[in-house]
Amino acid sequence: MNPAKHPVESLRFIGTLLVATLCCLGVAMYLRVQTNTNMYRFITWDMFLAWVPFILSSLILYVFSRTKTKTGFIAIGLMCAGWLFFLPNSAYLFTEILHSFRYFDAQAGGKFWVNIDFWYNLTLTFAIAVLGLLLSTCSITQIHRMINRFLHRWIGMLVVGTILILTSLGVYIGRFNRWNSWDIISRPEQIVMDMVNDFNAGNSILVEFAGIIFIVQVFAYVIVSLLTARPGKA
């Protein structure tokens, strides 16, 4: 039970993601200093939460490759549950793109795209969005590898598809209903009630928004899978 390392687990790849994270935080700090505001202060916490699933999936795969006891598998099951709760935090970063428009005050009749402040904001939020998708995709890839060790390939793909759907709904819950991962345990009834109310609302965007996030995640997962596929396994 000691599978060869996947490219997303290499130190160079992880180091690149870490450097990208620090660069994003640095640009956010620069914008705060330049504007003398608290803009993007929340990004530090959001990016920390986005890293949690990848850290957990790496730990899960490490334990899985070495455990041979019933207790070890129980621990893996519990960690997988925690991983699933936190997973939407990674893809959630994709929605941070909206802040490039929230923080930029476009003048009526003016060409906002010739203002460098807009491009600073857009570049930062785009980079954060890509980083979030990479963290989410790479984390799911690790869990998918583990699943493929004891389930048929097609069943594994079905499980991944289900995970992507749940993640998309989780992103909606976080962005629009403002619930956190730990609220799933402390206030599950309220979360379900909010989802039902949103679904039944006449102007509901729940299905369409979740569908958009799902499709974006599918494309990200396919692209990363193709780019990291070993010869003969693409």
Side-chain angles (χ1 to χ4, degrees):
M1 300 177 68
N2 188 22
K5 277 192 174 184
H6 191 275
V8 303
E9 299 160 20
S10 70
L11 291 178
R12 284 187 299 178
F13 181 80
I14 296 174
T16 300
L17 292 181
L18 184 58
V19 170
T21 300
L22 295 175
C23 287
C24 288
L25 294 176
V27 172
M29 184 180 297
Y30 168 79
L31 290 175
R32 285 198 297 274
V33 172
Q34 285 292 101
T35 59
N36 195 30
T37 65
N38 289 328
M39 66 189 308
Y40 296 117
R41 185 173 294 278
F42 57 86
I43 287 296
T44 302
W45 177 244
D46 286 353
M47 296 192 81
F48 167 75
L49 290 177
W51 270 91
V52 171
F54 185 74
I55 294 172
L56 284 176
S57 60
S58 299
L59 180 60
I60 290 169
L61 203 61
Y62 175 83
V63 175
F64 176 75
S65 66
R66 287 162 174 76
T67 189
K68 296 180 181 179
T69 65
K70 182 178 180 180
T71 302
F73 286 111
I74 292 175
I76 289 174
L78 293 174
M79 286 190 291
C80 283
W83 169 80
L84 188 60
F85 285 155
F86 279 95
L87 183 60
N89 289 293
S90 298
Y92 177 86
L93 292 186
F94 177 77
T95 66
E96 304 288 22
I97 291 178
L98 73 89
H99 295 296
S100 61
F101 302 94
R102 172 191 172 195
Y103 284 123
F104 181 72
D105 184 20
Q107 300 299 317
K111 296 181 179 180
F112 66 88
W113 57 87
V114 299
N115 190 318
I116 194 62
D117 290 340
F118 170 75
W119 291 105
Y120 269 119
N121 282 275
L122 184 61
T123 300
L124 173 62
T125 54
F126 177 76
I128 290 173
V130 172
L131 182 61
L133 289 175
L134 283 174
L135 287 170
S136 177
T137 300
C138 294
S139 184
I140 296 173
T141 297
Q142 290 182 309
I143 299 299
H144 194 181
R145 290 185 64 219
M146 183 185 71
I147 292 174
N148 283 341
R149 298 286 293 181
F150 54 87
L151 290 179
H152 190 274
R153 178 183 177 185
W154 292 107
I155 297 178
M157 293 176 66
L158 181 61
V159 172
V160 169
T162 302
I163 290 173
L164 292 178
I165 292 174
L166 293 175
T167 301
S168 301
L169 292 173
V171 172
Y172 176 90
I173 291 171
R175 172 50 64 192
F176 296 102
N177 295 337
R178 310 307 295 166
W179 293 110
N180 295 305
S181 298
W182 44 90
D183 292 321
I184 297 175
I185 297 176
S186 61
R187 306 182 69 179
E189 301 88 354
Q190 187 61 52
I191 293 176
V192 173
M193 187 179 299
D194 285 349
M195 293 288 286
V196 172
N197 291 336
D198 287 354
F199 180 78
N200 292 328
N203 59 345
S204 174
I205 64 170
L206 191 160
V207 175
E208 291 177 89
F209 179 85
I212 291 173
I213 299 299
F214 174 77
I215 293 173
V216 169
Q217 288 189 99
V218 168
F219 273 108
Y221 194 80
V222 171
I223 291 172
V224 170
S225 297
L226 291 175
L227 291 176
T228 59
R230 294 184 176 88
K233 293 188 178 183

